Structure formats: structure tokens, C-alpha cells
Amino acid sequence: MCPLQPGLAAGAPQYRKHAGRDPGADGPAPHPRDRGWYTASLQPTHAPRKHALRVLDMTGLLDDGVEQDPGTMSMWDCTAAVARTCIAQQQGGTAEPGLAPIPVEVRVDLRVNRASYAFLREALRSSVGSPLRLCCRDLRAEDLPMRNTVALLQLLDAGCLRRVDLRFNNLGLRGLSVIIPHVARFQHLASLRLHYVHGDSRQPSVDGEDNFRYFLAQMGRFTCLRELSMGSSLLSGRLDQLLSTLQSPLESLELAFCALLPEDLRFLARSPHAVHLKKLDLSGNDLSGSQLEPFQGLLQAAAATLLHLELTECQLADTQLLATLPVLTRCSSLRYLGLYGNPLSMAGLKELLRDSVVQAELRTVVHPFPVDCYEGLPWPPPASVLLEASINEEKFARVEAELHQLLLASGRAHVLWTTDIYGRLAADYFSL
């Protein structure tokens, strides 16, 4: 597997922040486009070979988000900067007579959408046979047509890629069946994230069934896959077929808004994946009725390894939460619990806080606004009402104060209890 760890190789160039222009700095001021970016010379070197830069690792840069430091380079910035340099090198780079430039492997995470596709494709083509060789570790493609996604995948080095992240592409099963063989050629792929591709395995048509079977066959080619995200793909009653094709147990599984049935959760609880799960996202699946018992069985199976549990908008009221607490608190390594968008009362939250004292590793609980803080709430309240209705700010201020006092009294002031679902970057599987 390609050892792509964040950081710079020895001998890598030093970065200088363009925070406006340093009055004492030599050379011209940076172009306005570059303000806030870090820049470095990526030109191949003709220095003595024992001192020459051979690898520049620019992976691990944070994506744009609330916690992004405005003075650091984001994934978007890195993609643009590296692409510009590769194209410029191909168009204008010349070697000194009698000296061949020493190749430099540039390891990067790339993010692309419709607007930047042509530019990045040109950069990847330029790096073929160039002294600057692009080695993509993580690819994130957003709102990109199927043919463009395939074209990019064909240009990537099969030995380097560890993650493919396709978002908002609305591919459907037909589109997935076209793209998946191009993804499956990356034998070291550890993470496959398919967000909002709207694959519906329940399609009754012959074409739909054929596409699903072909997709499953291609999924069986992965030998190193550890993370799978199928958010908003309707998998009702088909989860066993999907997970049974995989050659290795998963450690991260995201099944948000997948319309899971009780039999899907029962299968997952009995599968080899359950005892290896570090991250589980079941957001948007109704866990309040017949799904509750199999969900509790799944928690029991994953209790020894689970670090991150996301249950946003799962229609869990106090009754379901209190029934689940005995098994939930057995997840002794749990660090993050997401319960936003569930109809919980202040009494239910206090019970959760008291019982979770035994979970020494717990650091973050994202909880809903208690139903006590709403006015005239219908019961049971739809998730859309909980997300959009106004709350009584005075009541909620008292709730926050009481929760804070309970945390102090239990010696758990370091645990963050918050309703802010956007203020923290989601835990990445590779950082768990």
C-alpha cells in the first residue's frame, strides 16, 4: 500500500504565508489570487542528486469548514496550486543541457467539481511523463457528470489512491454500474464514499436489477476496503447482498437515509463487520419501532470497538433512548454521539448524561433542542418540524445551564454537549 502520510519529506521547500506583503520581503507582491495560500516551488531540481527533493507530500490538508484556519491551505487551494504548477511545467519547463531533471513525486488530495474539471484533467495529463508526477491519495468529486468522473479515474495512479469520494452526482444505479469498474481497479482503495448518488436497489425493472447485481459483483473486487458510505441510497432489504460481497470487514459504515428495515439491522449485527466497526452512521433511518430491537443488537455487537455513533433524525424519543441506554453505555470506547433531530425531552437528556458518566472516552455529544423548549409541538413531531420550528430561547438557556451544572457535578466538564451540528468537522475514518 502506498505510504501516504501527511507531512513533508525531508528537504522539502519551506512555505511562506502570503498575509498581504511583508514590507521587508524581497521580490514582487503575491498575486491577489494567492493571498491566504502557502506557496512553494515545485520545479524539478538540478541540484546534486544526493540533496535533491524527490517526494513532496501535501496530503492531509483540512477541507474548507468552520474550523478551517483562514491562514492555511485548504483542499481546494492545494488542488488549484498543484494543477497550475503541473501545467506550467509542461508548457514552459526546460532542462539544462546535458542534465535530466530529477523527478519529483507530488502527493496530494484532489477536490474537483464541474467548474474545475477541465483544469484538473489537463494537469493530470501534463504530469504523465513529466518530472512532476502527481500521486493522488484522496479524490473528492462533487456534482460531476458520469463521463467526467470516469475520465479522471482513468488518469489516476492505481498504486496511490486510498479514497474515492463522489458527492451529489445523482448517478443512480445505472451510473454506479458504469463508474464502479473504474473504481475497482484501485486495489489499495480503503475508503469508498458515495454521497447522494441516489442508487435505489428496490427498482423493480429488469435493468435496475441487472445494474444492482453488476454493482455488487464489482464491489467484490475490493480487497482493502475499510470504509463504505452509501448515504441516501435506498437499500431496504438488500444490505445483506451488499455487505456479503465484500472481502474484508468494514471499520466505518455510513448508511444515512437508506430506508433500512429490521432485517437489514439484524444482518449487520450478525455479520463479521459489526465487531470491527469504529464508525457507524444510521442517520435518517427510523429506529423507533420494529427497528429498535435489532438496532440494540447491533450496538451490542459493536460495543467493544465503536468510537463514533451518528443517529441524527432517527425518531428516537425518551422511551426508545432509555430502553437503549443499557447497551449504549457498554460502548466503553465511544468518543462521539450524535443525536440531533430526535424528539428528546430534558428529562431524557439528563438521564443520558448521568448514565454516560461510565463512558470515560466520551468527548462530544451533539444533542437536539429538547421538546420542552418548543411551543405547540405536534406529537410525534416530524423531523422537519424539529429542524425548522422556533424554540423558546429562555427555556433553552435554562436547559443549557442545567446540563452544564450536571457535567460539573459529575466531573465531566471536559465533555462537550452541544446542539451545533455545523461547528465541528465530522470525524474522518482515517483519523479515528
Side-chain angles (χ1 to χ4, degrees), residues 164 166 176 192-197 215 228-231 233:
V164 170
L166 305 180
L176 280 178
L192 177 59
R193 302 177 61 81
L194 303 171
H195 293 270
Y196 303 103
V197 295
F215 173 71
L228 178 63
S229 176
M230 296 289 294
S233 293

Side-chain angles (χ1 to χ4, degrees), residues 336-348:
Y336 173 96
L337 175 62
L339 290 168
Y340 194 83
N342 288 289
L344 298 172
S345 71
M346 181 57 182

Side-chain angles (χ1 to χ4, degrees), residues 188-206:
H188 300 301
L189 197 76
S191 172
L192 177 59
R193 302 177 61 81
L194 303 171
H195 293 270
Y196 303 103
V197 295
H198 296 112
D200 188 349
S201 66
R202 306 173 304 176
Q203 293 177 6
S205 68
V206 173

Side-chain angles (χ1 to χ4, degrees), residues 319-337:
T319 303
Q320 290 81 29
L321 177 64
L322 295 179
T324 305
L325 279 178
V327 64
L328 178 60
T329 53
R330 291 192 193 112
C331 300
S332 57
S333 300
L334 196 67
R335 301 173 190 165
Y336 173 96
L337 175 62

Side-chain angles (χ1 to χ4, degrees), residues 130-183:
S130 167
L132 288 180
R133 174 177 169 262
L134 279 186
C135 183
C136 177
R137 182 185 70 163
D138 297 349
L139 175 69
R140 176 172 167 177
E142 298 180 4
D143 190 28
L144 206 60
M146 179 173 59
R147 65 182 182 278
N148 294 354
T149 303
V150 169
L152 283 184
L153 291 170
Q154 291 174 333
L155 289 170
L156 298 179
D157 190 324
C160 295
L161 201 66
R162 72 169 188 179
R163 167 177 283 165
V164 170
D165 186 343
L166 305 180
R167 303 184 178 213
F168 311 109
N169 298 287
N170 202 26
L171 295 170
L173 277 178
R174 181 180 175 278
L176 280 178
S177 66
V178 172
I179 285 177
I180 196 65
H182 298 280
V183 178

Side-chain angles (χ1 to χ4, degrees), residues 21-27:
R21 188 183 179 193
D22 180 350
D26 295 328

Side-chain angles (χ1 to χ4, degrees), residues 212-226:
F212 187 61
R213 280 199 297 265
Y214 183 73
F215 173 71
L216 295 178
Q218 295 299 311
M219 290 295 293
R221 293 173 57 188
F222 295 109
T223 58
C224 299
L225 199 66
R226 294 295 180 269

